[in-house]
Amino acid sequence: MKKFCVLVLMLLLTAALALPAYAAPEEEAGAQTATEAQEEGNTLGLKAIAAGIAIGIAAAGGAVGMGMATAKSAESIARQPEAEGKVRTTLMLGLVFIETAIIYALLVVILIIFVL
């Protein structure tokens, strides 16, 4: 339960840090003043912080998930060596899904940095 609470807290912190990236004002077709340029620089910094935290959490979560899956599959193969093929196939499929979730997080981070 404690790990779950820490995970929820980290997700809320990440969402709170990413909110300024979504609240960026629309740019007008004129020249920027010094204040607008400074605000844009601040927004860029906040985007970088939010992106770093988001990809860090995704990579850490994926690494923990992959480690647990690998450990459990090794334990399963040790208990029932005759089921090695099925366990290995299921493990690889699960690892692919975990890695896909991490790649989706990377795409979201790239969108935050370059589009928003």
Side-chain angles (χ1 to χ4, degrees), residues 74-86:
E75 181 181 326
S76 173
I77 291 171
R79 287 184 182 182
Q80 287 187 328
E82 65 272 5
E84 179 182 2
K86 289 183 179 181

Side-chain angles (χ1 to χ4, degrees), residues 13-26:
L13 179 64
T14 303
L17 290 174
L19 283 178
Y22 294 115
E26 295 183 19

Side-chain angles (χ1 to χ4, degrees), residues 78-95:
R79 287 184 182 182
Q80 287 187 328
E82 65 272 5
E84 179 182 2
K86 289 183 179 181
V87 171
R88 182 176 291 138
T89 302
T90 305
L91 170 69
M92 290 301 163
L93 186 63
L95 292 178

Side-chain angles (χ1 to χ4, degrees), residues 36-51:
E36 289 176 352
Q38 183 180 8
E39 287 177 4
E40 183 177 326
N42 290 340
T43 303
L44 183 62
L46 291 174
K47 287 180 188 180
I49 291 171

